[in-house]
Amino acid sequence: MNKLDSAATGEHNVNFRQIGKARTRTDSPGKVFGKTPYAGDYVMPDMLHARVLRAKVPSARMTRLDVSKARALPGVAAVLTFKDLKIGTVATDIPGQTGFKRRATDQQILVDELVRYQGEPIAIVAAETVEIAQHALSLIEVDLEPVPGVYNVFDAQKPDAPKVFGTDNLVASYKVRKGDVEVGFAAADVIVENTFTTQYIEHAFLEPEVGLGWEDEQGVINIRSSTQAVETFRYIADAMGLPHSKVRIRGALVGGGFGGKCDVTVELYIALLTKATGRPVRLGYSREDSFYGHGKRHPFIINHKTGFTRDGKITASKIDITSESGPYAFMSPYVLMYATEAGPGPYLVDHVHIDSRSIATNNMYTSAFRGFGATQACIAYEQQMDEAAKVLGIDRIELRRRNLLKTGDAIATGFKVQSAVWTEECMDRAMAALGEKPKDKGAIRYGHGLAAYQQGYGRMIWLHDTAEGWVGVEMDGTVLVRSGMTDIGAGQTSSLAQIAGELLGIDMMDITVYNSDSSTTPLAGTSSASRGLYMSGNAVRLAAEAVRDRLAARAAKHFGSTADDVDFANAQVFLKSDPRQTMPFKELVAVCASEGIHRAELAIFRAPFGDWIDPETGQGQVHPDYTYGAHAVQVAVDTETGEVTILKSIGAHDIGQAVNMAAVEGQIEGGVAQGHGYALSEELIYKDGYLVTPSLSEYLCPTSMDSPRIECIVLESRSGLGPFGAKGIGEPGHTPAAPAVANAVADAIGTRVFDFPLTPEKIANAVRKARKAG
Amino acid sequence: MYADFDLLIPEGLNQALGMIAKSKADTDIAPLGGGTNLVVEMRARGKAAATLLSVGQIADLRGIEIADGRVTMGAATTVSDILRHPRMPDVGSALFESAGVFAGQMVRNTATVAGNICCGSPAADLVPPLLALGASVTLQSQRGERTVPLDKYFTGYKTSVRKPDELLTAISWPVPAGKSASRFYKLGRRKGDAITMVGVSVFIEMAGGVCTTVRIALGAVGPCVMRAGKAEAVLLGKAPTAELIEKAASVAEGECAPIDDIRASGAYRKQQVQVLVRRLLNQTIESLS
Ligand SMILES: Cc1cc2nc3c(=O)[nH]c(=O)nc-3n(C[C@H](O)[C@H](O)[C@H](O)COP(=O)(O)OP(=O)(O)OC[C@H]3O[C@@H](n4cnc5c(N)ncnc54)[C@H](O)[C@@H]3O)c2cc1C
């Protein structure tokens, strides 16, 4: 039997001292006691304040731009427009530690001639105070002549559509051809076809974008900012015509990212204004700036046509996927790739046919968002499974059971997943935790819903992803970790301390971590793509192991034993064969120091490298590995008003190995709350390119009063590619939550709302329509 | 961006009335309660009255008294004060229900009753229950004092009979007597901190098997919170049968003229007026039998 076949065996249970426990994170005390500075807390003497002037219309030609009055305003230090830029564009591709040649996705930094979305920056101002900067914006004279725009993906694909991107508004497209769908459909007894749509949504992190820049004595532009990616220093340097070594990004602890702080945000404006004025410049976005100032989650339209045998086996899956890119590429090609790869879900399907495309419009541009397209795919395939179960008259869970991928099976792209696939276990555990459905009361109907998923973690393998990490031991035996990884609130730095601590026998709380400095900490890539722990955790593991090996060799000499008999715990070194033989860690370190034994290591971790999948068939490997699991939800729906109350919400995931169980649960809980909002209330509405929900009173994230207690069931197959067998969980916890809510609502009301979000009005109307139809 | 303004902090009501006496328009001196509406609007519009007069901090204006058959709340009474008052579930159950679904904890702690009425929003949640309870408001200025029934207070969208030199100082209603009950329901797009799509409140008093008082108030379905007078008339003096309740609900639906906005369509709002009026009438009458 394959040892990954069952969660129940427990045969590979191993004993860790710190790993896997629910520990207080190393970053918690600073936050709880208010000592942790965020990027917005930093100030400098002689600092200027910046503001951004944005286009008020979504599609226009700029016929006049006059900043003379703004420049003349006392207290204004600089006003920059496209005319002041050496290079007018900035890259928008995936930043990070990749050997991959960028796609041509550059975006204009400031409007040169055409405005392509509402909010596109036209000018930037630095002044002595925020008020003066704001006043200066009002003195800038801009004439914008409306140009016909295109505001939905259908119109944008018509031959006579205004061209927003390239010659045909096509930002990217892919195909997957596995088996022969016609053969598959011929073998089907029942064919089910449905279209599902999802909306634009906002990251809505607590901390809007903010940063402070200054030029130092070496002529380096330093930027302290709230970012998921210190590697954007390269794009900033390129956009300013500077050597990469002359731009330095220093992160701070981040107040939420969710993908929205992977792109360059305030950093480039700060760098340009710092260079222009020679003074430190601070730019903090208001909530409104944040709504207009960064890319959103892609809306998708996904059509599923699925063939089934009468007993519920999938015979063919034909999927058509369209995403809305907005006017610039940003992450759209990659997000579409994720959605395409994830298309048929965690099911074994022999005949797959997928066509996908990303289309440019003059609505807001879109970019990375937790789950990166696999989320939208899950919303479609999991609702489709429930609809199919209804048509087939087969229990929804049973239908999934008959089709789930098992360990060792090949996914839609033909790649055979090497790690454990425990979807079924997760599904059963989540459903069991849901318990009995309450009895309906008057207009209140109860519903249960489940969604299973497959989510890649780590980067697409053709990006050749790497991460570096450094571990060193001071002469007094204290341990330092250096990693370029940003800490976006998920416990990233804390986990690095825990990993180094486990291997060196030092408590994680006693380890100091330096992170997210693009010049002085080893570059580790972005905290995104559920790759942080996988990549940086492995880099730090490798570095800690190398240090440990050298220390163990010296300890073996001391004990007169062998290195593999030496163990490290509780700041002591001892022999496994005779634990009475001990030596304080710091004594061993002192010996090593005096003998010149190297007590530090810089390690690099390389993810599996590969080529693009076949462009004609979509066959090949996309991700290093995948996380699997399921989410179950119980709702009460008021069938007259359409209001939904989520009563229970349970995520069950095989995360390979928890490093910090409390942090894992935090990731699941946060992702689930975000999924609840995605399903029920969050929506950025663009009307002909104009955002009509530009504040948090119209854009409705769930509040604490909307959130039930979220339950986490964590399984550990120890089969992942991360440190100690961990898999990624940053995105997976979020992915199945929204479709599980949708399936629970559909179960409660006996009909389905096919377009997200499921507002009370849509639900009430669906119920009325179904009742009328009888 | 915030607008510039002066802030006056009076020591008591008399001084406040003196300060506002010279105000000719709301743009001269605007009373400031908890600021949860005013400050948000100032930021959104970048405009403020030249002077803000802090009345939310006047201690004499804060508190709930029950005496001589009336419940009287000072203007600076907060939404949390309503929730904390031990007798509120008896003397103003609809208001108590409304306070419980009002905004979130932080806003409830600072938002005042007068601010909720005077902001003039058709979606103001305390107003439907106050209308259902038959409340009146007291307006005071250096010129004197007058009492206006709440259903005569609003004159249109964000307009009222209040003069620029007047402060709303108190709200009161008769302690419900005999066999009576009231309810409120807020239909929002989420459970916390939501702007109401439809708010409905009903008050019914019964004697000898017939409805002797019927008040139905509707929020967020017209330019200001309104009474559904025709729907009330359907039940007044009658025994409330299922058919009559159904009829009253449809009449109420016909009485309102809600608009489409980003929260909901007018059609859905109308539909929900019917649903909620029927539901609240049923619940109220059931609780009386
Ligand atoms: C997050 C959030 C959630 C909210 N949720 C809700 C909700 O669920 N339901 C709801 O109804 N409202 C809600 N609101 C709106 C607001 O909180 C309420 O309308 C509140 O009652 C206003 O009271 P205030 O004391 O803060 O008024 P202020 O903002 O101080 O004043 C509001 C208006 O009343 C005037 N005013 C205040 N006091 C007097 C007085 N004594 N005499 C004359 N004029 C006066 C002011 O000049 C101003 O025009 C919410 C607001 C926020 C920010």
Side-chain angles (χ1 to χ4, degrees), chain B residues 31 33-38 102-103 107 111-112 114-116 118 124-125 168 186 193-194:
Chain B
T36 60
N37 191 277
L38 194 60
F102 191 101
V107 171
T112 65
N116 197 243
C118 296
D125 282 325
L168 194 157
K186 166 178 179 152
D193 279 324

Side-chain angles (χ1 to χ4, degrees), chain B residues 30-40 55 75 79 101-104 107 110-119 123-126 162 166-169 186 193-194 196:
Chain B
L32 174 69
T36 60
N37 191 277
L38 194 60
V39 177
V40 174
V55 292
V79 179
V101 293
F102 191 101
V107 171
T110 178
T112 65
V113 180
N116 197 243
I117 296 169
C118 296
C119 73
D125 282 325
L126 302 182
R162 186 180 78 84
E166 283 180 316
L167 288 178
L168 194 157
T169 52
K186 166 178 179 152
D193 279 324
T196 299

Side-chain angles (χ1 to χ4, degrees), chain A residues 130 134 286 288 443 638 640-641 643-645 681 692 698 700-701 703 705-706 759-761 764-765 768, chain B residues 1 43 103-104 108 185-193 195 197 262 264-265 268 271-272 275-276 278-279:
Chain A
V130 181
Q134 186 67 28
S286 64
E288 291 81 354
D638 184 324
E640 288 185 317
T641 64
E643 291 161 289
V644 175
T645 305
S681 58
V692 296
E698 291 111 10
L700 303 175
C701 306
T703 68
M705 289 163 275
D706 298 273
T759 63
E761 178 163 357
N765 287 343
R768 281 179 182 231
Chain B
M1 282 287 130
R43 187 176 176 282
R108 281 178 215 158
Y185 194 82
K186 166 178 179 152
L187 181 57
R189 284 213 32 204
R190 68 177 174 196
K191 300 197 192 318
D193 279 324
I195 300 178
M197 292 191 285
I262 51 159
S265 71
Y268 171 74
Q271 193 189 92
Q272 292 305 317
V275 167
L276 294 175
R278 175 177 24 85
R279 201 180 271 187

Side-chain angles (χ1 to χ4, degrees), chain A residues 598-670:
Chain A
H598 194 193
R599 309 178 317 280
E601 179 78 7
L602 174 62
I604 183 166
F605 176 74
R606 296 176 188 85
F609 289 6
D611 288 327
W612 268 87
I613 52 174
D614 185 305
E616 289 309 314
T617 64
Q619 296 298 291
Q621 184 177 0
V622 179
H623 278 93
D625 193 25
Y626 300 84
T627 304
Y628 294 90
H631 193 91
V633 165
Q634 182 182 79
V635 296
V637 181
D638 184 324
T639 49
E640 288 185 317
T641 64
E643 291 161 289
V644 175
T645 305
I646 299 176
L647 299 170
K648 292 183 184 171
S649 198
I650 302 152
H653 306 269
D654 166 28
I655 65 146
Q657 168 66 50
V659 170
N660 187 337
M661 191 58 88
V664 169
E665 289 176 353
Q667 283 301 290
I668 296 172
E669 288 168 8

